[in-house]
Amino acid sequence: MAWTAKAGRAIPAGMKKGDHLFLVDGSGYIFRAYHALPPLNRKSDGLPTNAVLGFCNMVWKLMQDARNTNVGVVPTHFAVIFDYSSKTFRSDLYPEYKANRSAPPEDLIPQFGLIRQATVAFNLPCIEMEGFEADDIIATYSRLAREAGADATIISSDKDLMQLVGPTVGMYDPMKDRQIGIPEVIEKWGVPPEKMIDLQALTGDSVDNVPGVPGIGPKTAAQLLEQFGDLDGLLARASEIKQEKRRETIIANADKARISRELVTLKNDVPMKEGLDDLVLHEPDGPKLIGFLKTMEFTTLTRRVAEATATEIGDVQASAVTVERADTAHGPDVGAGAPPRQPIPESNGAAKPAVRGEDAPPQGDTPSLLSALRLEQGTARKIDPSAYTAIRDAATLKAWIAEAREAGALALDAETTSSDPMQADLVGVSIAIAPGRAAYVPLAHTSGNGDLLGGGLLENQIPVREALALLKPLLEDRSVLKIVQDMKYDIVVMSRHGIEVGPFDDTMLISYVLDAGTSGGHDLASLSEKWLGHAPAVKKELAGSGKNAIGFDQVDIERATKYAAEQADIALQLWQVLKPRLAAKGLVSVYERLERPLVPVLARMEQRGISVDRQILSRLSGELAQGAARAEEEIYGIVGERINIGSPKQLGDILFGKMGLPGGSKTKTGQWSTSAQLLEDLAAEGHELPRKIVDWRQLTKLKSTYTDALPGFINPGTNRVHTSYALAATTTGRLSSSDPNLQNIPVRTAEGRKIRTAFIAEKGHKLVSADYSQIELRVLAHVAEIPQLKQAFADGADIHAITASEMFNVPVEGMPSEVRRRAKAINFGIIYGISAFGLANQLSIPRDEAGAYIKRYFERFPGIRDYIEETKAYAREHGFVETIFGRRIHYPEIRSSNPSIRAFNERASINARLQGTAADIIRRAMVHMEEALDKAKLSARMLLQVHDELIFETVDEEVEATLPVVRKVMENAPMPAVSMSVPLHVDARAANNWDEAH
DNA sequence: ACAGAAGCTTA
DNA sequence: GTAAGCTTCTGTT
C-alpha cells in the first residue's frame, strides 16, 4: 500500500506507470445512496444521515477492499469529485439542459455538506470546480492519469462516464460490486466506449433533458453507428437509411443530435487547481475519522474503523457522544482487513414433513396402504449427500448401468449450462437406483479458466460421446423406467444428443395431477420439502445468480456431485411416495392420458419453433417508436413539462393534481388509478390528454413487449423462436407459455395484429390455424345440461343472440347489437363465476341493473343456477372440483371465514370446471394429433398452442388435405373417454402468416 | 439485484 | 367476475 509523504507541487514527477488513481463520482453516489437506503436520522437531534452513512460505508469498504484483495487493484491516488452547482457551461449551450431537474429532497440537502466533511475526514481530496460537472473533472483526471502512464478506476455506474473507459481506464460500480471495462460497455450498449458519445447524442437522455433524436433508442442507435461508423457519417449519409420514417426523423433532427453530442461530450481539459500529486492516497487519520463518525453517531462503522486503525474510541472527542459498547479497540492489526467474520450459526432444527390435512387416512385397500407406507418410508429416510459418488471412468459407469437394468427403474437428471433446453450444453448426468444410492457422471466440467477454444476441460471425465453411447441403450430401453422431475426439459436436451429417452414417469406431473391448487409449487425443491422433509442443495449457491453466475460446467465436480446426485435421489424417493397416491385417488388415467403423453409432443413443438421475420418486426418497431415519440411530444405540449409518461405515479399527479381532472378510484397503495378504462372514460368526457396517453401506452407496449423483445428470442442455430410450455404452472390444467410467451401475441387491434404478420411459414409452406369455437360455453351447455343452449349449438346458431333472445324476448332477426353485447357479457360472466359487481364493471352499468340481468338470466336458464350451486357445494364439501375427464383442481380456501376469499374461491371453482375441461379437450387433441396426421400420410407439424387454438406448419401441397384431419381430431377429441351432448366446432384456415391464418 | 405494484397482452 | 406472462417503474439491500 502506497504511503507517500505529500509531495511538494513544485516537483512534477508525481504519478507514474503502475500507479492507480481512484476517482469517486461523489455527486452520483450521494443520490444513489440516498435513494437506496432507508431514512436514517441522528438520534440526538434528528439530523438526516442516511446518504452520509452510505457514502462512508462505501468509501471505507473501497479502501479496505483495495488493500486486502489480490485482484491487483490497489489505489495509489484517490479523489472524490463533486458537482459545484447545477449551473455549468452546458446551460449556456442549451438552456433546457437539466432544466427538468427537481430540487433535491428536503432531507438530502443538509447531507451534501456533511459528505464533503466526511471526505475530508477520510483524508481524501475533495474536488469540485465552478462551471463544470463532476463528470468533466473525472474526464480531466482520467486523461492526466493516462498520459502519465498510470491506470484509473472511476467509481460510478453512470453511463455518461462510460465514454472514458479504455485500456487503462475502468469503472467500478460499488453497489453492484461490478467492474465495467470495454467488453461490459459493448455488452450493455452495443458500441465500444469511444462511440458512447455518438450513441448518447442519438438517444438523448430524458433525465438530463438531452434531446437526442426522437424515437431512436439504444438498440437502433447502436445499429446505425455500426452501419455508418459514427454520428458524422450517419448524418452525412442519412439519405441512405432504408426505413422511411427513421430516415426522415434523423434528417429532421440532425441539429438536435449535434447539440446533444456537445452536451454529452465530457470536457477533459478543465483547469484544475489540484494536480495529480495532490491526489496521493494517505493513510486515514484514525482519530480524525473516528471523531467524525462518532459525531454522526455511526456506531457500527466507528467500531470497525477503530478496530482497523487501532484507535481507542474513548480517546476520541466527538461533539455528540453516544454510549458505545465497551468491547472494541483491542486488535493491533492495522490494515489487516475486515473485522473477523462471525461464525455462521448452525441452521436451526431438522425440517419436518408437512402433514397434509386433506389426505384421507389409509383405507385398507391396497393402493391406499401402499401410499401410506411409502409416505412413512419417505419421511423417515435420511438424505446424505456425502454418500453420493462421482462416476469418472467407463468401467464404473458400466457397473452402474448394469445395476440399473437389474433394478428396472432409475431416476435421472441432466445437468447443463442453461435453463433453455434449446441452448443448453450437457455438463453431466446424475442417476439414482435406490434411495440414497445415487451418482453423478461429470462429462464436461471445465476449470473455469479455459480459453474460447474450449480449453480447461477437467481430467478424469468420461468423454461425452463415450458416456452417452454407454447410456443410450439404457435410456432407450423399454423395460427400464426412467424417473425424471420435469421430463420435457431432459427430452429436449437428450434428443439433441440423439437419445430418445423412454419410458418415463415425471414426478412434477404426478404431483400436479394429485395436488393442483394446493399451496406450494411442483418443483423439486418444494416437493422434497413437502414429502421428504428435506431441503435440497440450491443451485444458486453453487453457481451464483444474475450477472455473476457461472455455468454449471465451472462448478467443481465434488460440489456438483453432491448437488446433482441429490436431485436424482430426491426424484426417485418422491416417485416412491407419489406414484402410489395416483392409484389411491383414482387419478392414474388423468396422468396417463392427459399429462404424460403430452410431454414428448410439447418437447417436439418447442424444438421445432416458429419462424419470425426480423425485418417485419424491425420495421414495425421503427413505426411504433415514431408514433410514440409523436404522442410523447403532444403530451408534453399539453402537460407543459417533460414528465415520465410511463410512471403511473407522475401521471396521476399531473392528471388529477396539476390539471385537476376528476380522479376516479385509487389503487390499493393509495395512488390515483390511471388505468386504460379510466382514461377512456375521461376521454369520452371530452378531455384530450387521456386519449393520447392511452395511445402512447399502446404503442410503447407493442414496441417493448413484442417488436423489440421477440428478435432476441430467435435461436441463432435454428433461426426460429422456441417458446417454453409449462405443463404444471396453472391450477386449471391449461398450459402456459414463456420465454417468449406466444400465448399473448396481440390480436384485438389492427395495430397489434401487425405483429402476427411477422410469424410466418417457411418457404413453400403455410401456417394452419385451427381454433375451437366457443368451447367453454359448449362445455357449460354440456355439464349444466341446458336444453336451449344445447339446441342452439346443435343448430349452429349465434349463441349470444339466442341468449339475448331468451332473456329479453326479442327476435334474433334484427336484434340491436347492444342487446347482443350484453348477453355476450353475461355468457362470459357465467364462465368466470359471475358476480353483479363484475358484470356491472364490464358493461359500465349500475350494480343493481347488473344484478337484475343475472336474476333474469337464471330465471330463463335455471339449470345454470343449479350448476353453480352444485359446484360450490361440491367444492366446499371436497375441497376440489373435477373436470369431465376427472382432473382435480383444489380450492383449500373455499371454506375460509373471510367472505371475499370464499367468494373468490367459489368463482374460481365454477370457472375451473369449464376452463379445465376445455384444457383437457385440447390436450387430448394434441395427444391424438400426431398419430392421425401420420396415418393420413400428412407432414404437417404442430408448432403452437394458444388455449383453444393450434398452429401448424405444412407444405403448400398438403394444406387442403390437412385441414379436415386437424378439424376432425380436435372436434372428436373427447372421444372415446367422454361423449359430449354438444358438438364441438373447429374453424381452420391456412395462410402465409399467423395474422391471415387466424 | 430483486420484489412488488401497476398496467397491458392473450384465451 | 376466470386463467396466465412480460415490461416498466418504484422502493430497498
Side-chain angles (χ1 to χ4, degrees), chain A residues 417 539-540 542-555:
Chain A
T417 52
K539 193 182 240 169
K540 262 194 261 176
L542 276 75
S545 67
K547 286 269 183 246
N548 304 318
I550 55 170
F552 197 79
D553 56 331
Q554 290 176 40
V555 174

Side-chain angles (χ1 to χ4, degrees), chain A residues 804-818:
Chain A
S805 173
E806 285 275 347
M807 277 185 69
F808 304 115
N809 290 321
V810 291
V812 170
E813 294 284 317
M815 175 180 290
S817 65
E818 178 58 22

Side-chain angles (χ1 to χ4, degrees), chain A residues 472-795:
Chain A
K472 183 177 160 85
L474 176 74
L475 299 186
E476 295 183 342
D477 189 330
R478 304 305 300 172
S479 67
V480 180
L481 179 70
K482 268 66 69 174
I483 296 158
V484 180
Q485 166 76 12
D486 193 7
M487 183 68 186
K488 178 162 61 64
Y489 181 89
D490 293 59
I491 285 188
V492 172
V493 170
M494 298 309 287
S495 89
R496 288 174 50 226
H497 287 89
I499 297 177
E500 306 301 323
V501 185
F504 69 92
D505 261 338
D506 187 329
T507 45
M508 177 179 79
L509 297 184
I510 295 173
S511 167
Y512 183 58
V513 168
L514 289 168
D515 294 322
T518 61
S519 62
H522 306 282
D523 57 290
L524 190 85
S526 304
L527 297 180
S528 177
E529 293 259 21
K530 178 173 177 174
W531 296 107
L532 310 177
H534 171 78
V538 177
K539 193 182 240 169
K540 262 194 261 176
E541 286 171 12
L542 276 75
S545 67
K547 286 269 183 246
N548 304 318
I550 55 170
F552 197 79
D553 56 331
Q554 290 176 40
V555 174
D556 80 76
I557 291 179
E558 195 177 330
R559 278 150 54 88
T561 298
K562 287 190 168 64
Y563 167 82
E566 183 183 60
Q567 299 279 303
D569 190 13
I570 288 170
L572 182 75
Q573 298 194 33
L574 281 173
W575 179 81
Q576 293 192 335
V577 174
L578 295 178
K579 188 75 192 277
R581 298 182 74 240
L582 279 179
K585 292 177 178 294
L587 290 167
V588 172
S589 77
V590 174
Y591 172 67
E592 291 188 350
R593 294 183 187 273
L594 297 175
E595 300 288 341
R596 198 172 57 186
L598 195 56
V599 171
V601 173
L602 288 173
R604 285 188 282 272
M605 289 167 65
E606 290 181 11
Q607 277 186 273
R608 280 178 207 124
I610 187 166
S611 197
V612 171
D613 189 322
R614 268 206 174 83
Q615 272 71 45
I616 293 177
L617 290 177
S618 134
R619 180 169 51 72
L620 283 173
S621 178
E623 292 174 12
L624 292 167
Q626 291 192 19
R630 210 174 305 126
E632 210 164 303
E633 287 308 321
E634 290 174 4
I635 290 166
Y636 291 153
I638 298 171
V639 172
E641 56 180 309
R642 302 178 83 84
I643 58 159
N644 182 351
I645 308 168
S647 161
K649 188 167 135 70
Q650 290 183 32
L651 211 50
D653 290 344
I654 292 293
L655 285 171
F656 309 114
K658 184 177 162 190
M659 306 192 62
L661 267 55
S665 51
K666 298 270 186 88
T667 64
K668 61 182 164 189
T669 52
Q671 284 295 322
W672 291 108
S673 166
T674 66
S675 67
Q677 176 65 59
L678 196 142
L679 295 180
E680 296 276 8
D681 292 347
L682 287 174
E685 288 168 29
H687 297 288
E688 192 184 5
L689 182 56
R691 172 88 262 142
K692 295 191 188 305
I693 294 167
V694 170
D695 290 346
W696 180 89
R697 282 207 185 136
Q698 189 200 14
L699 297 169
T700 53
K701 173 78 179 176
L702 292 175
K703 181 169 187 292
S704 65
T705 308
Y706 302 103
T707 61
D708 289 356
L710 280 171
F713 285 102
I714 298 174
N715 182 304
T718 65
N719 252 317
R720 290 165 76 102
V721 172
H722 307 263
T723 184
S724 173
Y725 287 107
L727 273 153
T730 72
T731 48
T732 55
R734 275 190 176 181
L735 304 180
S736 76
S737 157
S738 65
D739 308 298
N741 180 355
L742 296 185
Q743 290 180 323
N744 70 348
I745 302 300
V747 70
R748 282 177 224 230
T749 66
E751 198 68 3
R753 261 200 307 279
K754 289 182 184 168
I755 290 163
R756 294 201 167 210
T757 64
F759 288 79
I760 54 173
E762 210 163 280
K763 203 165 186 297
H765 291 63
K766 292 278 182 287
L767 290 184
V768 171
S769 164
D771 66 298
Y772 284 106
S773 158
Q774 309 284 8
I775 187 167
E776 288 176 4
L777 276 180
R778 287 171 198 262
V779 171
L780 173 69
H782 169 78
V783 297
E785 299 183 272
I786 310 300
Q788 305 100 304
L789 296 185
K790 285 194 201 177
Q791 189 61 49
F793 281 124
D795 296 346

